[in-house]
């Protein structure tokens, strides 16, 4: 008998002391990752070995839909061809497939065990991941917009008392300013009234003087058509007894 001493080998990755392992891509697709290929382990199967329930470590398989086709090879049997299967059901970290035939990728004479690792290939999944990534970018933008709106609302609610006092102070300042302007406007009107009264008296005085001047400097255009001697007799004025001759 041979005695073999086994030693456990712990693989320690070379990780940075600080920071993150990879640049943040906000959960979007990574151009360095091939999303067409992934692996999974058979967690359950039916008696006919045609329906498999696959457990995956990467939950991108949640984007599968019923009826999607997928190709796979059995691990450690990469030299064989792909087997074709169709997705029947999808769960978190699980999906169920219906296999057309295990002949191309596995020997029909061998028993297909639970726990077998399968290497899958699906262009459909890569397309679905790409679409989901683009849609997620739109969701992130919407979320950021909602967060900004919520932040504005929270800021308003948190500073409501201060803003209320500030608003009241602003309006009080405007009211005081309007009251000062009102008092000034009324004082200006009273001063203007007094000035207008003085000007009114001056104008009335000037108009009276002008009327007197106009009356004095009026030129008479009326000519007497009757004898002055007759008029004087009618008025009882002292005149001679004989009228004078009318002038031509």
């Amino acid at each position: 008998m041979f005695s073999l001493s086994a030693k456990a080998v712990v693989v320690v990755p070379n990780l940075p002391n600080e920071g993150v392992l990879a640049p943040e891509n906000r959960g979007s697709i990574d151009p360095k990752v091939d999303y067409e290929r992934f692996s999974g382990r058979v967690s359950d199967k039916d008696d006919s070995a045609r329906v498999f329930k696959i457990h995956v470590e990467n939950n991108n398989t949640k984007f599968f839909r019923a009826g999607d086709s997928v190709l796979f090879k059995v691990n450690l049997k990469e030299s064989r061809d792909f087997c074709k299967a169709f997705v029947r059901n999808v769960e978190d970290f699980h999906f169920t497939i219906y296999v057309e035939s295990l002949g191309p990728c596995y020997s029909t004479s061998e028993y297909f065990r639970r726990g077998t690792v399968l290497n899958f290939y699906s262009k459909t999944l890569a397309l679905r991941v790409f679409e989901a990534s683009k849609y997620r970018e739109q969701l992130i933008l919407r979320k950021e917009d909602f967060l900004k709106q919520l932040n504005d609302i929270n800021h308003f609610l948190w500073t409501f008392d201060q803003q209320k006092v500030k608003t009241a102070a602003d309006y009080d300042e405007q009211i005081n300013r309007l009251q000062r302007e009102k008092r000034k406007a009324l004082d200006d009107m009273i001063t203007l009234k007094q000035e207008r009264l003085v000007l009114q008296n001056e104008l009335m005085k000037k108009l009276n003087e002008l009327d007197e001047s106009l009356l004095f400097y009026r030129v008479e255009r009326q000519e007497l058509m009757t004898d002055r001697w007759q008029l004087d007799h009618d008025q009882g004025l002292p005149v001679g007894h004989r009228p004078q001759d009318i002038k031509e």
Side-chain angles (χ1 to χ4, degrees):
M1 297 181 64
F2 297 92
S3 174
L4 299 177
S5 60
K7 295 183 179 180
V9 178
V10 179
V11 179
V12 180
N14 185 16
L15 301 178
N17 296 327
E18 297 180 356
V20 295
L21 301 181
E24 174 62 32
N25 64 348
R26 307 180 74 177
S28 301
I29 59 175
D30 188 349
K32 299 179 180 179
V33 177
D34 184 5
Y35 293 96
E36 296 180 353
R37 302 181 183 275
F38 63 97
S39 61
R41 186 181 299 274
V42 178
S43 61
D44 198 3
K45 67 182 183 68
D46 66 346
D47 295 336
S48 63
R50 301 289 293 275
V51 179
F52 299 155
K53 186 172 184 179
I54 310 299
H55 171 73
V56 292
E57 298 293 337
N58 191 320
N59 202 26
N60 285 337
T61 55
K62 63 186 176 184
F63 298 122
F64 271 134
R65 299 174 188 172
D68 288 344
S69 62
V70 61
L71 304 176
F72 68 89
K73 290 184 178 182
V74 179
N75 193 34
L76 302 180
K77 295 183 182 294
E78 298 294 331
S79 60
R80 300 181 68 96
D81 294 333
F82 281 102
C83 287
K84 187 175 183 180
F86 296 93
V87 178
R88 298 185 62 177
N89 189 24
V90 178
E91 304 173 21
D92 280 342
F93 296 98
H94 291 85
F95 69 101
T96 304
I97 58 175
Y98 172 79
V99 182
E100 287 184 340
S101 174
L102 287 175
C105 60
Y106 197 76
S107 176
T108 55
S109 61
E110 298 182 29
Y111 178 74
F112 195 91
R113 296 178 175 81
R114 292 177 176 84
T116 302
V117 176
L118 304 181
N119 297 322
F120 292 91
Y121 174 77
S122 174
K123 288 186 176 181
T124 302
L125 180 62
L127 179 61
R128 296 274 172 75
V129 170
F130 176 77
E131 293 174 348
S133 175
K134 293 302 178 183
Y135 183 67
R136 190 175 189 275
E137 291 178 2
Q138 298 298 323
L139 294 178
I140 290 175
L141 294 177
R142 291 177 59 187
K143 180 181 179 181
E144 291 177 349
D145 182 61
F146 289 156
L147 288 175
K148 183 179 182 302
Q149 296 182 38
L150 180 61
N151 181 64
D152 295 340
I153 292 174
N154 289 337
H155 178 73
F156 172 78
L157 294 177
W158 293 335
T159 61
F160 174 76
D161 294 336
Q162 293 84 347
Q163 295 190 40
K164 180 180 178 181
V165 173
K166 182 178 180 300
T167 303
D170 292 340
Y171 277 98
D172 289 340
E173 182 180 357
Q174 295 181 24
I175 292 172
N176 294 332
R177 177 176 55 81
L178 291 175
Q179 289 179 347
R180 290 194 300 269
E181 293 178 357
K182 175 184 176 182
R183 288 193 298 268
K184 183 177 181 301
L186 293 177
D187 293 340
D188 292 343
M189 289 186 66
I190 294 173
T191 303
L192 182 62
K193 178 183 178 182
Q194 295 174 351
E195 294 175 353
R196 295 297 172 88
L197 289 174
V198 174
L199 183 60
Q200 182 188 40
N201 294 330
E202 293 293 332
L203 289 174
M204 291 177 64
K205 182 179 179 180
K206 295 293 183 183
L207 286 173
N208 291 334
E209 294 176 355
L210 285 174
D211 287 341
E212 293 176 357
S213 298
L214 289 173
L215 182 62
F216 176 78
Y217 289 102
R218 184 177 62 181
V219 177
E220 297 290 346
R221 298 181 58 85
Q222 183 180 6
E223 297 186 8
L224 299 177
M225 301 302 296
T226 58
D227 193 355
R228 181 72 186 179
W229 185 81
Q230 297 291 340
L231 293 176
D232 290 342
H233 273 79
D234 292 339
Q235 296 178 2
L237 298 176
V239 296
H241 294 283
R242 293 179 63 87
Q244 300 176 358
D245 296 335
I246 301 176
K247 297 179 179 180
E248 295 296 335

